[in-house]
Amino acid sequence: MGEWRGNLRVRLTVVFSLVFALAGGSVLAGVLIMVNNAMEYSMGILLADKRYAGGYQSPEMVSSIAASKQTIMDSMQANLLFKGGLTLLAMWVVATAAGWFVAGRLLRPLSMITATAHRIAGRTLHKRIDLDAPPGEVKSLADSFDSMLDRLDEAFAGQGRFIANAAHELKTPIALNRTLVEVAMSRPDSPPQVHQLGQNLLAVNQRHERLIDALLTLARAEDAVTERRLVDIAELANIAADTTEGLARRLGVQIGRELTPAPVTGDPILLEQMIRNLIDNATRYNVEGGWVRVQTVARPRHAEIVVSNTGAVISSYEVPTLFEPFRRLTDRVGSSRGSGLGLSIVRAVAQAHRGDAVAVPRPGGGLVVRVILPRSAHPLAEPVIIAPAHPEHHEPARP
């Protein structure tokens, strides 16, 4: 009921209908008054002529003539009111239907603007309205909306280029620093203190390299995906899990896999990086002797990848923070295990493929991160909207 009440087309149709009903009722009332006056005048002249032609008439005859006049007037009014009312009702129905049609035609440009806004809400800033209409209020609104999109598109593209250029520029001095440290450590006369310092500097250098690579991936993921190929996320998940096995063994974490074929259309490099970040995060932020479970599921219209793990107990209000760039939980601040971009990249890649990513905390500690990717690459496909699931629905058995 609320949707109909707020629908502009319905409101315009109701206004058209009420205006026509009031106008038609006023015309019918005016016609009744004019016809009544005309009949009164005509009947008065007719009776006067009869009196003049018949001479003197008795009071009974005069009363009979007056009664006949009133009967004729009442019959005429009832007939006119009945037939005029039926005509008005029929015309009101036709006018309401015409008002509905005309309102739809008038509001069609606004519907186009609304549809474009919905597509843009799915992170598609390259869409434009390009309304082909004569100059007017709606044309001015569409052109203003297109101008705003142009500025937003340029701003986001400039931001992405800045991140990519800055990351590329930072790679050169970091690579130079790594080379200098390795040369100093390889000298035969270098003391043990230099070796220890060199190892620490190389660890810091490696962390900075990971941060720069993450920035590059994030900048690329937030741009439009131009390369789309059919790829099986189960295969990518298997490769990512093999890559993380060495880290998992060092941390005492077991990685379990439940992989079923789940083909999607997208950028294989970005999708592999997304899955690798999921598994890497689940492995790094774990507990000794913990586990990580990787699952892929194929649905009729989308594919899912679910990564769950053990770990520290996380409150539900802290989960949205994990998807923000450079944001970590309190126990992760100052940690060298990550740059704070892992789940940000996951969500950016998923949304670039018209999907999304959500996370829910496990009751015993750790997270369940669920990514849904649409299997269709149609450019007009709406973004996938997923609701957070309950943790027990996705909690796997311990490997």
Side-chain angles (χ1 to χ4, degrees):
M1 184 66 182
E3 294 181 359
W4 285 100
R5 184 179 301 175
N7 191 295
L8 186 57
R9 186 178 185 182
V10 173
R11 295 169 67 181
L12 286 176
T13 304
V14 171
V15 170
F16 292 156
S17 176
L18 290 177
V19 169
F20 182 84
L22 290 175
S26 301
V27 170
L28 181 61
V31 169
L32 283 173
I33 293 174
M34 289 188 295
V35 170
N36 185 63
N37 292 336
M39 289 294 294
E40 284 278 359
Y41 179 75
S42 300
M43 293 293 291
I45 294 177
L46 180 62
L47 291 177
D49 291 343
K50 285 186 176 181
R51 288 195 188 98
Y52 178 78
Y56 176 79
Q57 297 177 352
S58 65
E60 293 79 7
M61 184 174 295
V62 172
S63 177
S64 175
I65 292 175
S68 300
K69 171 188 174 182
Q70 187 62 38
T71 301
I72 293 173
M73 293 291 294
D74 292 342
S75 175
M76 180 272 302
Q77 290 179 353
N79 185 54
L80 182 60
L81 186 62
F82 175 73
K83 294 182 178 179
L86 288 181
T87 304
L88 178 61
L89 180 62
M91 292 303 298
W92 176 78
V93 173
V94 173
T96 302
W100 174 264
F101 175 76
V102 171
R105 296 280 296 183
L106 292 176
L107 294 176
R108 183 174 297 175
L110 293 181
S111 301
M112 293 175 56
I113 297 175
T114 303
T116 304
H118 280 304
R119 288 196 295 269
I120 292 168
R123 305 177 67 87
T124 310
L125 289 176
H126 303 290
K127 298 291 182 181
R128 296 294 180 271
I129 298 175
D130 291 331
L131 183 63
D132 185 13
E137 291 82 358
V138 178
K139 174 66 173 175
S140 177
L141 174 63
D143 293 342
S144 300
F145 196 76
D146 285 341
S147 300
M148 180 189 68
L149 291 179
D150 289 334
R151 292 192 296 270
L152 286 175
D153 197 7
E154 292 175 2
F156 279 102
Q159 181 185 17
R161 287 193 300 269
F162 172 79
I163 294 176
N165 293 334
H168 279 299
E169 290 296 328
L170 288 173
K171 273 191 170 183
T172 301
I174 287 180
L176 181 59
N177 290 339
R178 184 180 67 249
T179 302
L180 292 176
V181 171
E182 290 175 348
V183 169
M185 291 176 62
S186 63
R187 293 178 60 179
D189 57 343
S190 59
Q193 293 82 357
V194 174
H195 281 273
Q196 183 64 32
L197 178 61
Q199 291 176 358
N200 294 335
L201 290 176
L202 287 177
V204 174
N205 193 282
Q206 185 179 10
R207 186 171 184 269
H208 289 166
E209 287 180 346
R210 289 202 305 267
L211 173 60
I212 293 173
D213 290 337
L215 285 172
L216 284 171
T217 305
L218 183 61
R220 183 183 176 191
E222 290 183 341
D223 200 359
V225 178
T226 56
E227 180 184 0
R228 292 183 179 272
R229 294 186 350 220
L230 187 64
V231 60
D232 188 0
I233 61 172
E235 181 181 352
L236 298 180
N238 195 42
I239 296 174
D242 289 339
T243 306
T244 318
E245 279 288 355
L247 175 64
R249 283 194 297 269
R250 291 197 303 270
L251 298 177
V253 176
Q254 297 182 7
I255 299 180
R257 313 179 194 188
E258 294 180 5
L259 307 178
T260 57
V264 297
T265 303
D267 189 321
I269 298 177
L270 285 178
L271 292 175
E272 182 181 355
Q273 182 67 41
M274 178 193 72
I275 299 173
R276 185 179 300 152
N277 279 17
L278 276 175
I279 301 175
D280 186 79
N281 267 28
T283 303
R284 291 179 183 274
Y285 301 106
N286 213 311
V287 293
E288 187 176 357
W291 51 264
V292 175
R293 174 70 69 181
V294 184
Q295 299 169 289
T296 56
V297 183
R299 305 293 184 189
R301 299 185 61 182
H302 64 268
E304 299 182 16
I305 176 168
V306 183
V307 177
S308 50
N309 69 308
T310 53
V313 177
I314 301 174
S315 302
S316 57
Y317 67 86
E318 295 176 308
V319 172
T321 307
L322 301 177
F323 288 96
E324 298 179 14
F326 303 106
R327 294 291 299 274
R328 308 180 185 89
L329 298 181
T330 305
D331 60 335
R332 299 187 183 191
V333 175
S335 172
S336 61
R337 289 181 290 179
S339 59
L341 290 172
L343 291 181
S344 303
I345 293 174
V346 169
R347 173 165 284 179
V349 173
Q351 291 179 344
H353 288 79
R354 300 183 180 276
D356 205 354
V358 294
V360 290
R362 293 185 63 254
L367 280 175
V368 178
V369 182
R370 179 170 169 247
V371 177
I372 285 189
L373 299 171
R375 303 181 69 174
S376 171
H378 195 279
L380 298 181
E382 294 295 331
V384 176
I385 305 298
I386 57 179
H390 295 290
E392 59 268 23
H393 292 171
H394 293 280
E395 182 177 346
R398 183 184 177 117

